[in-house]
Short mmCIF file of all heavy atoms in Angstrom, two decimals:
data_model
loop_
_atom_site.label_atom_id
_atom_site.label_comp_id
_atom_site.label_asym_id
_atom_site.label_seq_id
_atom_site.Cartn_x
_atom_site.Cartn_y
_atom_site.Cartn_z
N VAL A 1 14.32 1.81 9.04
CA VAL A 1 13.01 1.90 8.31
C VAL A 1 12.22 3.10 8.79
O VAL A 1 11.67 3.90 8.04
CB VAL A 1 12.19 0.66 8.46
CG1 VAL A 1 10.78 0.78 7.91
CG2 VAL A 1 12.82 -0.54 7.70
N ALA A 2 12.11 3.29 10.22
CA ALA A 2 11.40 4.37 10.75
C ALA A 2 11.96 5.69 10.37
O ALA A 2 11.33 6.72 9.98
CB ALA A 2 11.43 4.27 12.27
N GLY A 3 13.47 5.78 10.30
CA GLY A 3 14.10 7.03 9.92
C GLY A 3 13.88 7.20 8.42
O GLY A 3 13.65 8.52 7.99
N ALA A 4 13.90 6.24 7.66
CA ALA A 4 13.56 6.39 6.09
C ALA A 4 12.18 6.91 5.86
O ALA A 4 12.02 7.81 5.05
CB ALA A 4 13.89 4.99 5.51
N MET A 5 11.20 6.56 6.74
CA MET A 5 9.85 6.94 6.42
C MET A 5 9.78 8.37 6.86
O MET A 5 9.12 9.22 6.18
CB MET A 5 8.91 6.12 7.36
CG MET A 5 8.67 4.67 6.89
SD MET A 5 8.09 4.54 5.22
CE MET A 5 6.41 5.02 5.37
N GLN A 6 10.38 8.85 7.93
CA GLN A 6 10.39 10.15 8.35
C GLN A 6 11.15 11.05 7.26
O GLN A 6 10.52 12.08 6.88
CB GLN A 6 11.08 10.38 9.63
CG GLN A 6 11.25 11.95 10.01
CD GLN A 6 11.79 12.08 11.53
OE1 GLN A 6 11.45 11.42 12.43
NE2 GLN A 6 12.76 13.09 11.53
N LEU A 7 12.19 10.63 6.68
CA LEU A 7 12.91 11.39 5.66
C LEU A 7 11.92 11.47 4.39
O LEU A 7 11.74 12.63 3.86
CB LEU A 7 14.20 10.76 5.27
CG LEU A 7 14.98 11.28 4.16
CD1 LEU A 7 15.07 12.85 4.21
CD2 LEU A 7 16.46 10.67 4.27
N LEU A 8 11.36 10.43 3.93
CA LEU A 8 10.36 10.48 2.83
C LEU A 8 9.18 11.40 3.06
O LEU A 8 8.91 12.21 2.18
CB LEU A 8 9.98 9.07 2.48
CG LEU A 8 11.06 8.10 1.89
CD1 LEU A 8 10.59 6.63 1.92
CD2 LEU A 8 11.46 8.45 0.51
N VAL A 9 8.66 11.35 4.20
CA VAL A 9 7.44 12.12 4.50
C VAL A 9 7.79 13.60 4.63
O VAL A 9 7.20 14.44 3.93
CB VAL A 9 6.78 11.65 5.87
CG1 VAL A 9 5.70 12.58 6.24
CG2 VAL A 9 6.25 10.16 5.69
N ASP A 10 8.89 13.95 5.38
CA ASP A 10 9.29 15.29 5.58
C ASP A 10 9.84 16.09 4.31
O ASP A 10 9.74 17.22 4.21
CB ASP A 10 10.24 15.33 6.70
CG ASP A 10 9.66 15.23 8.14
OD1 ASP A 10 8.41 14.84 8.11
OD2 ASP A 10 10.37 15.12 9.11
N SER A 11 10.40 15.21 3.46
CA SER A 11 10.93 15.75 2.17
C SER A 11 9.86 15.72 1.05
O SER A 11 10.13 16.06 -0.19
CB SER A 11 12.15 15.01 1.76
OG SER A 11 11.95 13.65 1.49
N LYS A 12 8.57 15.30 1.50
CA LYS A 12 7.52 15.14 0.54
C LYS A 12 7.85 14.34 -0.76
O LYS A 12 7.53 14.82 -1.96
CB LYS A 12 6.93 16.57 0.09
CG LYS A 12 6.41 17.27 1.35
CD LYS A 12 5.84 18.68 1.02
CE LYS A 12 5.14 19.30 2.12
NZ LYS A 12 5.85 19.55 3.30
N ALA A 13 8.52 13.24 -0.57
CA ALA A 13 8.95 12.50 -1.77
C ALA A 13 7.76 11.83 -2.56
O ALA A 13 6.73 11.54 -1.93
CB ALA A 13 9.83 11.29 -1.23
N LYS A 14 7.97 11.90 -3.90
CA LYS A 14 6.89 11.20 -4.70
C LYS A 14 7.14 9.83 -4.82
O LYS A 14 7.58 9.24 -5.78
CB LYS A 14 7.03 11.92 -6.14
CG LYS A 14 6.86 13.39 -6.12
CD LYS A 14 5.33 13.83 -5.93
CE LYS A 14 5.23 15.27 -5.97
NZ LYS A 14 4.04 15.73 -4.89
N VAL A 15 6.65 9.07 -3.78
CA VAL A 15 6.88 7.66 -3.65
C VAL A 15 5.57 7.01 -3.04
O VAL A 15 4.72 7.65 -2.49
CB VAL A 15 8.08 7.25 -2.80
CG1 VAL A 15 9.36 7.74 -3.46
CG2 VAL A 15 7.88 7.80 -1.36
N ASN A 16 5.42 5.74 -3.17
CA ASN A 16 4.29 5.04 -2.67
C ASN A 16 5.00 3.83 -1.77
O ASN A 16 5.48 2.96 -2.32
CB ASN A 16 3.50 4.39 -3.79
CG ASN A 16 2.30 3.59 -3.22
OD1 ASN A 16 1.89 3.77 -2.16
ND2 ASN A 16 1.72 2.78 -4.09
N VAL A 17 5.05 4.05 -0.47
CA VAL A 17 5.79 3.27 0.40
C VAL A 17 5.03 2.68 1.63
O VAL A 17 4.21 3.44 2.15
CB VAL A 17 7.08 3.97 0.71
CG1 VAL A 17 6.85 5.18 1.58
CG2 VAL A 17 8.03 3.12 1.36
N ILE A 18 5.41 1.45 2.03
CA ILE A 18 4.87 1.02 3.36
C ILE A 18 5.96 0.44 4.14
O ILE A 18 6.92 -0.27 3.68
CB ILE A 18 3.72 0.05 3.14
CG1 ILE A 18 3.07 -0.39 4.50
CG2 ILE A 18 4.12 -1.35 2.39
CD1 ILE A 18 1.72 -0.86 4.39
N ALA A 19 6.09 0.77 5.43
CA ALA A 19 7.08 0.23 6.34
C ALA A 19 6.46 -0.93 7.06
O ALA A 19 5.23 -0.82 7.53
CB ALA A 19 7.49 1.25 7.37
N LEU A 20 7.13 -2.04 7.19
CA LEU A 20 6.56 -3.28 7.86
C LEU A 20 7.56 -3.50 8.97
O LEU A 20 8.75 -3.99 8.67
CB LEU A 20 6.45 -4.38 6.99
CG LEU A 20 5.55 -4.14 5.73
CD1 LEU A 20 5.54 -5.36 4.79
CD2 LEU A 20 4.12 -3.80 6.17
N ILE A 21 7.17 -3.43 10.24
CA ILE A 21 8.10 -3.61 11.30
C ILE A 21 7.60 -4.69 12.34
O ILE A 21 6.62 -4.33 13.06
CB ILE A 21 8.37 -2.18 12.04
CG1 ILE A 21 8.79 -1.17 11.07
CG2 ILE A 21 9.38 -2.47 13.16
CD1 ILE A 21 8.91 0.19 11.66
N PRO A 22 8.20 -5.78 12.40
CA PRO A 22 7.78 -6.84 13.26
C PRO A 22 8.70 -6.52 14.61
O PRO A 22 9.92 -6.32 14.57
CB PRO A 22 8.33 -8.20 12.73
CG PRO A 22 9.40 -7.77 11.78
CD PRO A 22 9.16 -6.33 11.32
N MET A 23 7.93 -6.52 15.81
CA MET A 23 8.67 -6.21 17.00
C MET A 23 8.46 -7.27 18.15
O MET A 23 7.45 -7.70 18.45
CB MET A 23 8.03 -4.85 17.62
CG MET A 23 8.13 -3.64 16.72
SD MET A 23 7.07 -2.27 17.28
CE MET A 23 7.56 -1.10 16.11
N VAL A 24 9.71 -7.75 18.53
CA VAL A 24 9.71 -8.76 19.58
C VAL A 24 10.93 -8.55 20.49
O VAL A 24 11.74 -7.68 20.24
CB VAL A 24 9.91 -10.20 18.95
CG1 VAL A 24 8.74 -10.54 17.96
CG2 VAL A 24 11.33 -10.24 18.20
N GLU A 25 10.85 -9.22 21.63
CA GLU A 25 12.01 -9.35 22.49
C GLU A 25 12.45 -10.76 22.56
O GLU A 25 11.51 -11.70 22.78
CB GLU A 25 11.66 -8.82 23.90
CG GLU A 25 12.92 -8.73 24.91
CD GLU A 25 12.40 -8.25 26.15
OE1 GLU A 25 11.76 -9.09 26.94
OE2 GLU A 25 12.68 -7.11 26.65
#
């Protein structure tokens, strides 16, 4: 998800997107 967001942002994609990342151990 983090990599996908970087790709969308850096390629200036015409999208409306939100990443949701729950983090636990």
Side-chain angles (χ1 to χ4, degrees):
V1 167
M5 291 302 286
Q6 177 172 314
L7 177 43
L8 291 167
V9 173
D10 289 356
S11 61
K12 297 182 170 59
K14 299 286 180 217
V15 297
N16 182 17
V17 64
I18 189 160
L20 303 174
I21 306 176
M23 299 172 177
V24 298
E25 184 185 70

